[in-house]
Amino acid sequence: MNLNDLPDEVLEQIFDHLDLYELKLASLVCRRWAKVTFSGRRMDRVWFLLCGATWKTLLNIKRPYRNIHQLGFRSKAPFKRLSRFLQTLKLPVRRLKVGNGLTLEELRLILLEVPELQDLCIAIGIKFPIPDSPRPFPQVLTKLKCLKLDRYQSNLFDCFRMNVANLQSLYMSCGIESDLEIWRYVSGQLKLAHVYWFYPTYFFQFFELTFPHLEDLTIKEPGYGTTEKKASSRSHDFFRRHSLLRRLSVDFTIPVEWIRSITRHCAELTYLYLFVMNMEEGILESLTQLTKLRHLSFLRHSKECSYLNRSQYTKLDTKLFRGAIKSLESVELEMYPTRVFLENLFEAAPQLNSLEIKTIYDDFADQIALDFEFICEKFSCLRRLELDVRKQVS
């Protein structure tokens, strides 16, 4: 027996374990594999980029695409192309990203073509002036679960107000009063909240809201003036009210009170993404209380700080871990760790299977070879190791 003797059902189970690149390679083997690889639920991972393809190509597509990304600025008549393409698809579209080139009315007509849509992203640059009080779209997106509005297009939300009964995920800014009102309006139903940008006044008011079902929170780019002192005094209680959080991403320096509140109240966390700098030794020791934590990331890049020197890195490393994190599977760093950090990490999570270290600058290059040898020797469970080296190293 060889692979060609296996029924399609068995091949599908094999292909379910491949990533997109591997699926593409498998699809080149023969026509049968090409049909099986990109079919069924595997198509949920594939996006069709509607950009530059000829009409003949669009009308002859046979794969059952469900996720469409339209880039209008690279094609002529973007509305006509997108509308015609949606009509040729064999299966209903589940996810749609629309970019430049559409008017508000054209967007309305496009949405009539995708009644089964569950995920909609409105990218920056759509060329329509949105009125102060936009007319709501007809209630056609009854299955819409995820809405992504670029940081400059939050006033478009009123167009979707009739279609958000089942909304569970919202990507949007919180830079003006109307943005805060939108977050308040949907707070009772969201499981995921992704805030692109805050204005200081609304930063604090946002953290006074309660999202009873919230499981995933990402906070990016707080505006100038959101100091640690103010944030800690007004917002750390947010985590006590949101004990269901499973994923948390914070892209600015967080106050000590936040860390303590997170580790005390968010016992369900499996994913934690933090920006940390110049913290006192032992502050992150409480992370060992998160017994379900599987992924941990430490950020270096932030709006608050573009450049760090070596002394600022080493302040994080001395007493970062003081206990085992038996559930931890992967660690991502946007800084170069000292040997002390690696030794502490090994003591806390010897079972680590994925380690990613980004942005290794010249002043650390001499140490890379020794630390790489230490990683390979100690972390025997690693299945994935990625180092972003910006200097040639022996």
Side-chain angles (χ1 to χ4, degrees):
M1 172 181 280
N2 56 43
L3 285 176
N4 289 327
D5 297 324
L6 297 176
D8 288 353
E9 293 77 13
V10 176
L11 286 177
E12 289 178 355
Q13 293 184 32
I14 296 174
F15 294 153
D16 281 343
H17 295 280
L18 304 182
D19 60 28
L20 287 179
Y21 176 73
E22 293 167 339
L23 280 176
K24 182 178 180 181
L25 293 179
S27 70
L28 300 176
V29 172
C30 62
R31 291 185 179 181
R32 182 192 174 204
W33 281 33
K35 181 180 179 181
V36 175
T37 49
F38 291 101
S39 64
R41 58 182 174 271
R42 284 170 298 283
M43 289 302 293
D44 293 338
R45 295 186 281 157
V46 180
W47 284 85
F48 181 82
L49 184 60
L50 185 60
C51 171
T54 63
W55 278 112
K56 182 178 180 181
T57 301
L58 294 178
L59 298 179
N60 290 330
I61 285 178
K62 297 180 180 179
R63 285 179 179 166
Y65 289 101
R66 300 177 184 177
N67 309 319
I68 310 300
H69 186 180
Q70 177 258 350
L71 290 174
F73 66 89
R74 295 186 183 181
S75 61
K76 297 180 179 179
F79 167 71
K80 181 180 179 182
R81 291 169 61 85
L82 179 57
S83 179
R84 181 78 176 275
F85 180 62
L86 292 174
Q87 294 172 12
T88 64
L89 295 178
K90 297 179 176 62
L91 293 177
V93 174
R94 301 291 178 82
R95 302 166 72 189
L96 177 64
K97 295 180 182 180
V98 290
N100 299 10
L102 298 180
T103 66
L104 193 60
E105 183 59 30
E106 288 173 343
L107 177 61
R108 190 191 311 271
L109 294 175
I110 289 296
L111 296 180
L112 291 173
E113 302 282 353
V114 287
E116 300 294 315
L117 197 66
Q118 297 180 10
D119 187 322
L120 175 62
C121 176
I122 309 293
I124 185 173
I126 293 183
K127 62 173 188 180
F128 50 73
I130 304 174
D132 294 336
S133 299
R135 182 163 56 94
F137 290 164
Q139 192 170 358
V140 293
L141 302 178
T142 58
K143 298 185 179 181
L144 188 65
K145 295 181 179 180
C146 178
L147 179 61
K148 302 176 184 178
L149 301 175
D150 187 82
R151 59 183 292 179
Y152 300 110
Q153 304 210 17
S154 58
N155 56 343
L156 188 60
F157 181 87
D158 285 339
C159 295
F160 296 93
R161 196 173 288 269
M162 296 176 58
N163 299 276
V164 297
N166 296 311
L167 194 68
Q168 298 179 2
S169 304
L170 179 60
Y171 294 68
M172 201 182 71
S173 297
C174 191
I176 56 178
E177 181 66 32
S178 60
D179 293 350
L180 183 64
E181 288 302 315
I182 293 172
W183 286 110
R184 184 177 288 115
Y185 177 75
V186 297
S187 62
Q189 64 192 74
L190 291 183
K191 291 185 177 181
L192 180 151
H194 186 118
V195 188
Y196 297 124
W197 178 80
F198 277 105
Y199 188 74
T201 302
Y202 308 111
F203 176 89
F204 305 125
Q205 295 183 48
F206 177 91
F207 283 97
E208 293 173 356
L209 300 178
T210 298
F211 300 78
H213 306 292
L214 192 64
E215 297 180 0
D216 191 328
L217 174 64
T218 295
I219 314 164
K220 287 185 174 291
E221 294 191 39
Y224 296 107
T226 52
T227 63
E228 292 188 30
K229 183 177 180 180
K230 292 180 180 179
S232 63
S233 63
R234 300 188 58 177
S235 55
H236 71 271
D237 193 52
F238 177 88
F239 300 101
R240 181 185 61 80
R241 303 193 308 273
H242 295 85
S243 59
L244 296 179
L245 274 175
R246 296 178 181 274
R247 295 174 60 92
L248 176 62
S249 302
V250 183
D251 195 12
F252 55 93
T253 303
I254 62 175
V256 173
E257 287 83 354
W258 276 35
I259 297 176
R260 292 171 178 166
S261 185
I262 290 168
T263 55
R264 183 181 302 119
H265 302 296
C266 301
E268 300 299 315
L269 273 181
T270 62
Y271 182 100
L272 185 59
Y273 206 75
L274 297 177
F275 178 86
V276 290
M277 186 178 71
N278 295 336
M279 287 188 172
E280 298 177 12
E281 294 181 352
I283 290 299
L284 297 177
E285 176 186 353
S286 60
L287 293 180
T288 57
Q289 299 177 30
L290 300 175
T291 58
K292 297 183 180 181
L293 192 65
R294 292 162 49 190
H295 178 89
L296 180 61
S297 293
F298 291 124
L299 300 181
R300 183 188 68 83
H301 297 291
S302 174
K303 183 179 180 180
E304 297 182 5
C305 183
S306 299
Y307 301 98
L308 297 177
N309 57 42
R310 192 181 186 110
S311 63
Q312 289 174 307
Y313 285 120
T314 56
K315 291 180 180 180
L316 298 175
D317 295 343
T318 307
K319 298 179 180 178
L320 190 56
F321 297 109
R322 289 183 179 176
I325 307 181
K326 296 180 180 179
S327 59
L328 199 61
E329 298 177 359
S330 63
V331 170
E332 178 186 4
L333 307 171
E334 287 192 359
M335 62 189 75
Y336 189 70
T338 64
R339 173 61 67 85
V340 175
F341 177 95
L342 293 174
E343 291 173 350
N344 290 343
L345 178 60
F346 175 71
E347 293 295 327
Q351 75 284 349
L352 207 67
N353 60 49
S354 176
L355 178 59
E356 183 176 350
I357 304 175
K358 299 180 180 179
T359 316
I360 301 174
Y361 289 104
D362 292 357
D363 54 347
F364 297 106
D366 296 337
Q367 186 66 26
I368 291 176
L370 294 176
D371 290 341
F372 183 78
E373 182 178 354
F374 174 85
I375 292 171
C376 293
E377 177 184 348
K378 295 294 184 179
F379 291 93
S380 58
C381 296
L382 274 183
R383 294 184 306 208
R384 179 176 180 270
L385 175 62
E386 180 175 340
L387 302 177
D388 178 12
V389 181
R390 301 197 175 188
K391 180 179 179 181
Q392 185 174 357
V393 182
S394 60

